[in-house]
Amino acid sequence: MGVIDRRILVLALARFADTIGNGILVVLIPAYLTSGFVSLSFNIFEFGFTEATLVGVGVSTYALVSAGTQRYAGRLSDWFAYRKGFVALGLALIGGADFLYPFVGGFPGIVLLRAVQGLGAALSLPASMAIVNEFTKAGDRGGDIGLFNAVRLSGYVVGPLVAGGILSGGPYAVPLSDGATSVSRFALAFVVAGSVVAVSILLVALFVPEPDEQMSRERSSLSLRVFGNQQLFHPIFALGATTFLLSVTVDLFVPIQRLVNQRLGQSQAMFSAEYAALMIAVIVLLIPAGKASDRFGRRVFILAGAAALTPAVFVQAYITSPVLMVAARVLQGGALAIAFSPSLAFAGDLANAGESGSWLAIITTTYGLGRACGPLVGGVLGDISYQLPFFVGSVLALVALGLVVTQVKKPANSADTV
């Protein structure tokens, strides 16, 4: 990768602000649901759901809705040829919901707002990735996508740390003209999250140009090609399935954070640092992995990432030290980065002209779906055994490795339709 494209960098900085807000919610939503400010009693306990399971549902709703609608949103952004509008609208839904959380006192309301934010993510993410893909050349695609995601995902490092700092204090005094008052730590955190998303919207509106490339309106099919000609599965389907399996492992320990803190004898702030450790490793390695895949090929890095992820997740079942948990999360994040950036570049290589939104949405959708299922898996399995979520996560990584070995191969005609 040569000179950094200013357009990509500005868009990445805009999405960095957005992910600070989302990163705050990663820590904030579980803590808010278990704080007593939100009522979890609406007869759902009659069905045997525990607190950990409900937290998993609250966390996962965002990603489930996002994953379920990204493919359609990506195709619509191809069809209307207006990427910026989709990005701005999606961010507006995310930020608007942030400001409404302090006024919601019941679990159904929290789930509804998470669903709205999931729709916002579906509108904004594929369109953002399509803008990046259309601003890049094939020989620089891995590096440029790595740069965009490294800057964007930095917000998931800053956000949890901000949330941890805010939640460690409070209530906070707010000076008003008629005298000082105070706001709860949760209300302040939600306002901060919404405010940084507002900054993201301004950056997109003022400084990100619309790509000049003419979008394809001839192909409106949303069908996904599953089977291939030279192997059982088409490469894009295999890439999507691999991305899903790997991303499930990211948030396995989020719904059991109370158990993690008890087992490791640590504070909420330390849990936030462990979560951020994974994202730091991802950010550090995204650009080098993407640039290396431009030079040496995509597949070898996807293989290496899947192989390294298995032991990184497995050992977390037995760790009893916060320092060792941070180390394991760093290894896990490094493995994910090595696989994720080349996977997105691979999908961009396969995409037909003017249809990058719908093709790249396959990877972002399966990534989001995996992130959605992770807290659900962690919450349900964590009720059975503390170690079980990590055991299952390591098995999923092994399955992903098998898919890459046998199915992720570029077809002779890289323009094959999805």
Side-chain angles (χ1 to χ4, degrees):
M1 183 172 62
V3 178
I4 295 175
D5 191 312
R6 182 186 63 84
R7 300 167 299 180
I8 296 175
L9 183 58
V10 171
L11 179 60
L13 289 172
R15 298 314 306 264
F16 164 70
D18 154 46
T19 54
I20 290 177
N22 284 334
I24 289 173
L25 295 188
V26 168
V27 175
L28 183 58
I29 292 297
Y32 192 51
L33 288 173
T34 58
S35 65
F37 283 91
V38 178
S39 173
L40 298 180
S41 59
F42 52 99
N43 297 325
I44 197 167
F45 285 108
E46 294 179 2
F47 297 95
F49 294 115
T50 64
E51 180 183 276
T53 301
L54 291 177
V55 170
V57 171
V59 173
S60 296
T61 299
Y62 167 89
L64 283 171
V65 173
S66 176
T69 53
Q70 274 189 36
R71 175 86 166 135
Y72 303 95
R75 188 59 187 137
L76 285 173
S77 76
D78 288 338
W79 179 261
F80 288 106
Y82 188 42
R83 310 290 194 193
K84 279 182 61 175
F86 279 80
V87 175
L89 176 60
L91 293 177
L93 291 176
I94 293 171
D98 284 334
F99 290 111
L100 293 177
Y101 279 112
F103 302 101
V104 176
F107 183 74
I110 298 295
V111 172
L112 177 61
L113 289 178
R114 293 299 284 164
V116 169
Q117 292 186 306
L119 178 60
L123 291 170
S124 62
L125 183 54
S128 296
M129 294 304 306
I131 290 173
V132 174
N133 194 62
E134 288 154 14
F135 284 160
T136 64
K137 298 178 181 179
D140 295 328
R141 182 166 290 123
D144 285 343
I145 287 178
L147 169 67
F148 171 77
N149 281 305
V151 176
R152 179 179 72 90
L153 294 176
S154 297
Y156 282 113
V157 176
V158 177
L161 296 177
V162 170
I166 294 175
L167 294 180
S168 296
Y172 295 91
V174 177
L176 299 176
S177 58
D178 56 349
T181 186
S182 63
V183 296
S184 73
R185 52 187 180 146
F186 295 106
L188 178 61
F190 284 125
V191 169
V192 171
S195 298
V196 292
V197 177
V199 172
S200 178
I201 295 172
L202 287 175
L203 287 173
V204 170
L206 296 177
F207 301 110
V208 177
E210 188 71 47
D212 295 328
E213 182 178 341
Q214 179 65 33
M215 305 300 145
S216 171
R217 291 175 171 80
E218 297 180 0
R219 299 186 184 188
S220 58
S221 173
L222 287 166
S223 61
L224 171 64
R225 183 171 176 181
V226 175
F227 300 106
N229 296 324
Q230 300 174 350
Q231 63 265 348
L232 178 61
F233 297 122
H234 189 273
I236 194 67
F237 177 82
L239 273 175
T242 298
T243 301
F244 167 76
L245 293 170
L246 298 181
S247 61
V248 167
T249 69
V250 175
D251 295 324
L252 280 173
F253 81 154
V254 168
I256 59 170
Q257 63 177 279
R258 180 177 292 179
L259 299 177
V260 173
N261 291 341
Q262 291 173 353
R263 181 181 176 87
L264 275 57
Q266 64 184 21
S267 65
Q268 178 67 55
M270 191 64 208
F271 181 88
S272 298
E274 289 161 358
Y275 185 90
L278 181 146
M279 300 310 304
I280 291 172
V282 169
I283 291 160
V284 169
L285 288 177
L286 273 175
I287 297 176
K291 292 176 67 176
S293 76
D294 288 334
R295 182 175 180 183
F296 300 109
R298 318 291 191 202
R299 185 172 179 270
V300 62
F301 292 94
I302 303 172
L303 275 169
L309 192 66
T310 300
V313 175
F314 183 82
V315 298
Q316 293 177 40
Y318 296 101
I319 287 175
T320 57
S321 163
V323 174
L324 292 179
M325 182 61 82
V326 168
R329 295 283 291 177
V330 167
L331 178 59
Q332 183 181 359
L336 289 165
I338 292 171
F340 184 57
S341 191
S343 293
L344 278 168
F346 202 150
D349 294 340
L350 295 172
N352 299 297
E355 293 193 327
S356 55
S358 53
W359 282 70
L360 288 167
I362 295 170
I363 305 302
T364 59
T365 294
T366 51
Y367 176 78
L369 185 60
R371 292 291 298 270
C373 291
L376 288 174
V377 171
V380 173
L381 297 182
D383 284 335
I384 300 171
S385 165
Y386 176 86
Q387 286 85 8
L388 193 55
F390 304 110
F391 293 161
V392 171
S394 62
V395 171
L396 294 179
L398 276 177
V399 175
L401 178 61
L403 272 175
V404 178
V405 170
T406 61
Q407 305 298 318
V408 178
K409 300 174 183 178
K410 191 170 184 176
N413 178 11
S414 62
D416 285 348
T417 58
V418 181

